[in-house]
C-alpha cells in the first residue's frame, strides 16, 4: 500500500514538474516570438496634406508586435485625422507596418457659427481654415444640415443642368428643407422643397430661351412647381 502511495506521489510530482516546464517554455517562446516581431518601422503612403507627425505619434501608442496588432484600432486612429478619408493597413514581417492613405478632396467651404471649414463633397468636414489666408476658389456652403445634403444637391444639378455647376458661387440650405443657389453673377435661384431635378430642368430651359446670364434678371423663384417668378 505504501509503495503504491509512493508511486502516486512520484507520478504527481513528475506531472507537476512537466506542466511547470511546459508553461515556462511556452512563456519563453511567446516572449521570444513577440520580441522577434516588434514593430520597428511605420511607413505612411499616399499622403499630401495630412499631418504625418500627428499620425505617427498616434500610431506609436499602439506599437507592439505585428502578430497582435489590432487593425481596427489602428485604422480608427489614422482616420481620425481630418484629411484622411480612409486608410488601409498592411503588415510586412518581421517588423514593418505600411499605412496607405486616401485623403479627402476639398470641394467647398462650409460656414458655421462664424467659422470656416473645408468640406469634402460627401459632407466630411476636413479642417478649420482662416478664410483670409485661403486662396483656392471653392463653393461656399451655408445652412444647418447642408454638409450632409450637399452631395445629393450636386448630383441633381449634374443630372438636370450640369452647366450650372461651373457658375455656382454659393449654396444655402434654408430652414432645413430647401436650397438657395447664388451664381457668380449674383443671380439668386430659389429651389423648391421637392422635385428639384424637374425644377432644374425647367431652369435650364429658361436659361436657354431667355439668355438669363446676359439679362438683367437678379432672382428666379422656382418654389411653386411649374412656375418661375423672375425679378429684374
Amino acid at each position: 500500500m505504501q509503495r503504491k502511495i509512493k508511486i502516486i506521489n512520484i507520478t504527481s510530482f513528475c506531472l507537476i514538474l512537466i506542466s511547470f516546464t511546459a508553461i515556462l517554455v511556452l512563456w519563453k517562446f511567446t516572449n521570444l516570438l513577440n520580441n522577434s516581431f516588434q514593430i520597428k518601422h511605420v511607413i505612411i503612403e499616399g499622403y499630401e496634406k495630412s499631418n504625418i507627425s500627428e499620425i505617427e505619434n498616434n500610431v506609436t501608442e499602439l506599437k507592439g508586435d505585428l502578430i497582435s496588432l489590432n487593425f481596427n484600432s489602428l485604422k480608427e486612429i489614422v482616420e481620425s485625422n481630418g484629411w484622411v478619408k480612409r486608410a488601409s493597413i498592411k503588415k510586412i514581417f518581421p517588423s514593418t507596418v505600411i499605412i496607405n492613405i486616401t485623403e479627402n478632396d476639398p470641394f467647398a467651404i462650409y460656414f458655421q457659427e462664424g467659422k470656416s471649414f473645408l468640406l469634402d463633397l460627401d459632407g466630411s468636414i476636413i479642417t478649420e481654415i482662416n478664410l483670409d489666408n485661403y486662396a483656392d476658389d471653392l463653393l461656399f456652403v451655408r445652412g444647418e444640415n447642408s454638409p450632409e445634403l450637399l452631395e445629393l444637391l450636386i448630383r441633381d444639378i449634374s443630372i438636370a443642368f450640369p452647366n450650372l455647376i461651373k457658375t455656382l458661387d454659393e449654396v444655402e440650405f434654408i430652414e432645413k428643407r430647401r436650397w438657395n443657389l447664388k451664381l457668380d453673377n449674383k443671380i439668386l435661384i430659389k429651389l423648391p422643397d421637392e422635385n428639384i431635378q424637374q425644377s432644374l430642368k425647367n431652369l435650364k430651359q429658361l436659361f436657354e430661351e431667355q439668355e438669363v446670364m446676359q439679362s438683367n434678371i437678379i432672382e428666379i423663384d422656382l418654389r411653386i412647381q411649374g412656375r418661375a417668378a423672375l425679378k429684374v
Side-chain angles (χ1 to χ4, degrees):
M1 185 68 176
Q2 289 182 345
R3 185 180 177 186
K4 184 180 289 187
I5 293 173
K6 187 176 180 180
I7 293 174
I8 292 174
N9 289 338
I10 293 173
T11 304
S12 300
F13 176 77
C14 290
L15 290 174
I16 293 172
L17 183 62
I18 291 170
S19 300
F20 177 77
T21 303
I23 292 171
L24 184 61
V25 169
L26 183 60
W27 179 76
K28 286 277 190 181
F29 177 76
T30 302
N31 282 344
L32 179 63
L33 189 64
N34 289 341
N35 291 332
S36 298
F37 297 110
Q38 285 292 307
I39 298 173
K40 297 178 182 177
H41 309 287
V42 177
I43 299 173
I44 302 176
E45 300 175 340
Y47 67 90
E48 182 177 343
K49 298 178 180 179
S50 301
N51 188 332
I52 297 306
S53 296
E54 179 182 327
I55 293 175
E56 288 175 341
N57 289 337
N58 290 336
V59 170
T60 301
E61 297 177 5
L62 278 184
K63 276 192 175 181
D65 63 277
L66 275 183
I67 296 175
S68 62
L69 177 65
N70 188 319
F71 268 23
N72 291 332
S73 296
L74 181 55
K75 183 177 171 67
E76 287 178 9
I77 286 175
V78 175
E79 291 179 351
S80 67
N81 184 284
W83 279 101
V84 179
K85 181 185 286 289
R86 56 183 172 271
S88 60
I89 317 295
K90 183 166 64 174
K91 299 178 181 180
I92 303 294
F93 286 92
S95 59
T96 303
V97 174
I98 296 180
I99 303 172
N100 190 275
I101 288 174
T102 300
E103 292 186 322
N104 283 301
D105 184 19
F107 180 82
I109 296 173
Y110 173 51
F111 296 96
Q112 183 185 42
E113 299 177 353
K115 297 179 179 180
S116 309
F117 301 89
L118 287 180
L119 192 67
D120 192 284
L121 178 58
D122 66 6
S124 301
I125 293 178
I126 302 171
T127 186
E128 185 178 354
I129 60 168
N130 183 341
L131 196 59
D132 294 334
N133 299 328
Y134 194 78
D136 289 358
D137 186 19
L138 300 178
L139 177 69
F140 288 169
V141 178
R142 303 179 190 272
E144 189 175 353
N145 296 347
S146 56
E148 296 91 332
L149 299 169
L150 177 63
E151 187 173 14
L152 180 60
L153 172 68
I154 298 301
R155 188 197 68 182
D156 286 340
I157 296 174
S158 299
I159 293 172
F161 192 179
N163 287 339
L164 189 66
I165 291 178
K166 59 187 178 184
T167 68
L168 281 178
D169 182 60
E170 181 177 321
V171 299
E172 182 176 8
F173 198 50
I174 306 295
E175 297 175 352
K176 297 191 286 187
R177 60 187 180 85
R178 67 168 197 84
W179 290 95
N180 278 352
L181 315 180
K182 186 178 287 186
L183 307 187
D184 53 18
N185 65 351
K186 306 306 179 184
I187 293 178
L188 177 64
I189 300 169
K190 297 181 178 180
L191 295 179
D193 298 6
E194 300 176 343
N195 299 324
I196 292 179
Q197 281 195 30
Q198 184 57 53
S199 295
L200 288 167
K201 290 176 182 177
N202 296 340
L203 182 68
K204 179 183 178 183
Q205 183 178 354
L206 179 66
F207 266 59
E208 292 171 349
E209 293 177 355
Q210 301 295 329
E211 296 184 350
V212 171
M213 297 298 286
Q214 289 76 43
S215 71
N216 60 347
I217 294 172
I218 61 172
E219 182 179 302
I220 303 174
D221 191 341
L222 302 170
R223 288 177 293 177
I224 300 176
Q225 294 293 336
R227 292 181 58 184
L230 308 182
K231 185 176 180 179
V232 297

